[in-house]
Amino acid sequence: GDRSMFARRNGRVYECVLIDLNTQRDFCDPDGALPVSNIVRLLPALRDVIEWTRRNNVPIISSIESHRRWEVPRNGCPALYCIDGTAGQRKIDFTLFPNRICVEVDNTLAVPGDLFKDCQQVIFRKRTDDLLANPKADRFLTELAVQEFVIFGNGVENAVKAVTLGLLARNKRVTVVFDACGFWDLGTADLALRQIAAKGAEISCLNDLLHRTLERRRRYATDEFHYGSGSGNGNGNDNGHASKTKTSCSSDSDWAI
């Protein structure tokens, strides 16, 4: 079917692809706009997951919660978070890989299928809880030939639950690393995990992931480059016109998202 056609075009079936949800300062910094409740335990766990990903050269898809200043706070939150262009919207530094691509939102389905050919990390913005509400992310994740998606990040009650259920509905195998996920309310998070497990997701722990060994199929270059907006900062300063040439980024701190 379509998936096998994509696999032939892309030339590989990935054993494992990680999905890194909303590991941003507003959620992962005690001084952020909406820090998760388990932040003290979460940060070391996130570091361990990222280190395992680097060591095993595993492709990773990251989402960035992205809101406009004029939006009304949702989900009962007292204030808006992850506002475009703010420090709180930035990903925490250690979750950024040298070889990365930022695919900007433009409400079209046009997205190259071979983004992992040269880049280890593919970054998508999302305006809602569900990453798959981004048409480009939906198409990329749906068509990607992968044996298993492994999910971590923020938060269990919304983004983790939404993308897990969406991928399961698309007949994907999904594992959630529960102790590498942030949450705001323990009871609601526990219910969400039970719901996604009932739908077929595997709930795993960090220790299981860290002791897992994958076949190493690709070694990514360590040069930094960014594909997307011409300015290379992902803030839309290029007025929405994406550059089709790869442009270098001098450091992770220049990644203003």
Side-chain angles (χ1 to χ4, degrees):
D2 292 341
R3 193 181 308 171
S4 61
M5 289 176 60
F6 184 90
R8 288 195 297 271
R9 186 174 74 241
N10 199 32
R12 70 173 59 245
V13 176
Y14 296 97
E15 180 180 351
C16 173
V17 171
L18 268 70
I19 298 181
D20 154 37
L21 294 170
N22 308 343
T23 50
Q24 295 161 260
R25 295 180 185 179
D26 270 348
F27 302 142
C28 297
D29 188 318
D31 296 322
L34 194 65
V36 294
S37 300
N38 60 330
I39 190 170
V40 173
R41 292 185 178 182
L42 178 64
L43 288 176
L46 293 179
R47 288 186 180 276
D48 287 343
V49 173
I50 295 299
E51 175 56 31
W52 181 87
T53 305
R54 294 181 191 274
R55 186 170 65 249
N56 289 279
N57 291 314
V58 180
I60 183 169
I61 296 168
S62 299
S63 73
I64 298 172
E65 190 86 4
S66 183
H67 297 291
R68 303 174 180 90
R69 293 183 182 276
W70 47 261
E71 291 182 34
V72 177
R74 298 177 297 121
N75 300 329
C77 296
L80 200 57
Y81 48 86
C82 297
I83 300 171
D84 290 343
T86 62
Q89 190 193 40
R90 288 175 179 259
K91 284 180 63 59
I92 47 180
D93 291 343
F94 65 81
T95 65
L96 285 170
F97 287 68
N99 266 298
R100 58 185 180 262
I101 296 173
C102 184
V103 181
E104 296 292 350
V105 180
D106 60 10
N107 294 319
T108 72
L109 293 173
V111 58
D114 59 350
L115 294 178
F116 284 135
K117 181 179 180 181
D118 296 312
C119 290
Q120 185 174 3
Q121 184 177 35
V122 177
I123 303 174
F124 292 97
R125 291 181 184 273
K126 66 185 189 69
R127 299 288 186 186
T128 69
D129 287 341
D130 189 1
L131 172 60
L132 297 175
N134 176 329
K136 291 178 184 290
D138 185 3
R139 181 175 185 182
F140 185 71
L141 271 75
T142 299
E143 294 186 342
L144 188 65
V146 56
Q147 295 177 13
E148 178 187 12
F149 285 110
V150 176
I151 297 175
F152 68 100
N154 302 307
V156 175
E157 304 96 316
N158 43 47
V160 171
K161 177 182 175 180
V163 75
T164 299
L165 291 176
L167 289 172
L168 290 171
R170 290 160 175 78
N171 298 314
K172 302 291 188 178
R173 180 184 172 193
V174 182
T175 296
V176 175
V177 185
F178 78 91
D179 47 355
C181 291
F183 59 82
W184 291 275
D185 181 82
L186 179 59
T188 307
D190 181 68
L191 177 60
L193 289 174
R194 292 175 185 273
Q195 290 172 331
I196 62 178
K199 292 294 185 179
E202 179 178 346
I203 308 301
S204 184
C205 67
L206 176 61
N207 190 57
D208 288 343
L209 179 69
L210 298 183
H211 285 86
R212 181 173 175 177
T213 301
L214 301 179
E215 178 184 352
R216 185 168 298 187
R217 300 186 180 183
R218 176 179 295 276
R219 183 176 297 277
Y220 291 96
T222 57
D223 314 348
E224 296 203 13
F225 67 79
H226 169 275
Y227 176 103
S229 61
S231 62
N233 63 19
N235 273 331
N237 297 333
D238 56 346
N239 297 319
H241 299 294
S243 168
K244 296 195 177 178
T245 58
K246 293 165 184 168
T247 57
S248 63
C249 294
S250 59
S251 71
D252 284 346
S253 62
D254 292 334
W255 184 266
I257 44 184

